[in-house]
Amino acid sequence: MRDLVAGVRYLGRGQRWVLTHGRWFGFGLLPALLTLVLYAAALAALGFWADDLATWATPFADDWSPPWPGLLRGVFAVLLWLGVLLLAVISFAAVALLVGELFYEKLSEKVEEAEGGLPDDMVEQSLWRELWIGLCDSVYVLGRALLFGVPLFFLGFLPVVGQSVVPALGFCVSGFFLTLELASVAMQRRGIDVRTRLRMLRDRKALALGFGVPLVLLFLVPVAAVFLMPGAVAGAALLVRDLVGEGGPEPAADGDEPAAAPAGTPYGPGGPHGVPG
């Protein structure tokens, strides 16, 4: 529970940081706005063609008596659009980070400088090298997300469970991988490869979910992703400092004791940053 609350706090601290540094907030809006326009066009196109896709994917229902073909295809179209929407939420951060590599890298660095300094073992790479690594890492993360997303899509057809438990699991999966994408900016700076990032967040699932799930829900609000993206990058930088043991104890709520970082973490300074999982 402590990690879950800490994740929410990092998200809030990131939003507060950019709001109190207005120049960096505006700096981070541009790539997110461009990405939103591209995604809105794609989702609108999917909504327009969803019925045709449902008919194409269910030819076996052509001979069914009414109203079953229409009911099946309606459910299929809705689940397809919702599934793609959740996938879009996960990939939105990845695409925005690729589009705004220079913007978000600089923003993340400024956050770390203000919160204790950049890591001593910071890895310097060319822009094209960073873009290539970011693209490969995003494809890897998207593939892992699909391993969960595809089964959840088909489980969505189950009565009751498909309309209650499955959506909740979908938000958790989306939140976890969204956190992984956003944390990649600060982790790549430390030379931590994508498999190690995944293992680090698996070890602190509650922290990742506390940060990512509220963000997924907020990203579903039209246009909200554009305004939340700079703060999400800032909050992820703070979260990474916690994960690698550089951030100190997480500030506690009034009346609580500070939450110390887990003892013996193998990811702090001197730990195996680049060891693949």
Side-chain angles (χ1 to χ4, degrees), residues 46 49-62 69 72-74 76-77 80 153-154:
L46 177 62
W49 294 103
D51 290 340
D52 292 333
L53 287 172
T55 301
W56 171 81
T58 57
F60 54 85
D62 289 342
L72 173 67
R73 287 164 178 166
F76 184 95
L80 176 64
F153 171 78
F154 288 105

Side-chain angles (χ1 to χ4, degrees), residues 41-268:
L43 286 171
L46 177 62
F48 183 78
W49 294 103
D51 290 340
D52 292 333
L53 287 172
T55 301
W56 171 81
T58 57
F60 54 85
D62 289 342
D63 298 328
W64 292 5
S65 59
W68 301 114
L71 182 61
L72 173 67
R73 287 164 178 166
V75 171
F76 184 95
V78 170
L79 289 176
L80 176 64
W81 197 86
L82 290 176
V84 171
L85 179 62
L86 287 177
L87 191 61
V89 168
I90 298 172
S91 60
F92 179 88
V95 174
L97 291 173
L98 287 173
V99 171
E101 173 72 27
L102 289 174
F103 293 82
Y104 294 129
E105 178 66 31
K106 197 65 178 176
L107 169 60
S108 182
E109 285 184 7
K110 287 297 180 182
V111 173
E112 293 214 58
E113 286 176 358
E115 296 295 326
L118 294 168
D120 295 332
D121 54 351
M122 191 168 95
V123 177
E124 297 284 352
Q125 294 175 326
S126 68
L127 173 61
W128 294 112
R129 177 65 177 167
E130 287 184 355
L131 286 172
W132 174 249
I133 292 174
L135 178 60
C136 293
D137 290 351
S138 295
V139 170
Y140 176 84
V141 172
L142 185 60
R144 295 300 295 261
L146 286 173
L147 288 178
F148 294 91
V150 172
L152 286 174
F153 171 78
F154 288 105
L155 288 173
F157 288 96
L158 295 176
V160 182
V161 173
Q163 292 75 51
S164 55
V165 177
V166 172
L169 290 175
F171 284 122
C172 290
V173 170
S174 299
F176 179 88
F177 285 105
L178 180 58
T179 302
L180 179 59
E181 284 286 4
L182 290 165
S184 293
V185 179
M187 288 189 178
Q188 187 172 323
R189 184 181 304 127
R190 292 165 169 79
I192 305 175
D193 66 86
V194 66
R195 290 175 179 81
T196 304
R197 298 171 207 167
L198 182 60
R199 188 169 69 245
M200 291 167 69
L201 288 174
R202 276 204 309 258
D203 290 344
R204 307 267 313 265
K205 287 188 187 73
L207 183 68
L209 293 175
F211 185 89
V213 173
L215 195 56
V216 167
L217 295 172
L218 290 169
F219 271 19
L220 294 176
V221 178
V223 190
V226 173
F227 296 98
L228 293 172
M229 189 66 186
V233 172
L238 299 173
L239 182 146
V240 168
R241 293 179 68 82
D242 180 346
L243 281 174
V244 301
E246 297 172 1
E250 161 66 15
D254 294 340
D256 291 341
E257 295 184 3
T265 175
Y267 308 112

